[in-house]
Amino acid sequence: VEELAAENAVVVFSQSGCCMCHVVKRLFCSLGVGPTVYELDELQSGGSTGDLEKALMQLMGESAQAAAVPAVFVGGKLLGGLDRVMAAHISGLLIPQLKEAGALWL
């Protein structure tokens, strides 16, 4: 998970049918950020998908309640799920993080 997260400025681990994942992806697109998205239910790697989800749940910790997605990484660091992404956006902290990670230039 950490290797995949470090490969791009913004990485979202998602499930294609998850409405919270959709909201996170739409937010980034509306900000002009093209995140790298890994849809866990569409990955072709068989058993490793479950391993990825388990690793994400461990990284997310207490906030992972029932699901490990969406899991958002900015600049290779775990930002969190929908609640943390929206809190960062509303507080004005998300844009500076995206700029620092090289996801935004303006």
Side-chain angles (χ1 to χ4, degrees), residues 1-11 72-79 101:
V1 168
E2 291 169 344
E3 287 177 19
L4 292 173
E7 289 178 0
N8 295 288
V10 178
V11 176
V72 178
F73 291 80
V74 176
K77 298 176 190 167
L78 177 64
L79 178 57

Side-chain angles (χ1 to χ4, degrees), residues 55-79:
L56 287 169
M57 287 185 85
Q58 287 179 335
L59 286 172
M60 297 284 280
E62 293 295 319
S63 65
Q65 298 168 4
V69 294
V72 178
F73 291 80
V74 176
K77 298 176 190 167
L78 177 64
L79 178 57

Side-chain angles (χ1 to χ4, degrees), residues 12-26 39-42 53 67-71 81-82:
V12 177
F13 290 92
S14 173
Q15 294 275 352
S16 59
C18 172
C19 60
M20 293 184 299
C21 297
H22 178 74
V23 169
V24 164
K25 293 181 279 189
R26 293 287 298 160
E39 300 287 359
L40 298 181
D41 56 328
E42 295 178 1
E53 198 159 356
V69 294
L82 177 62

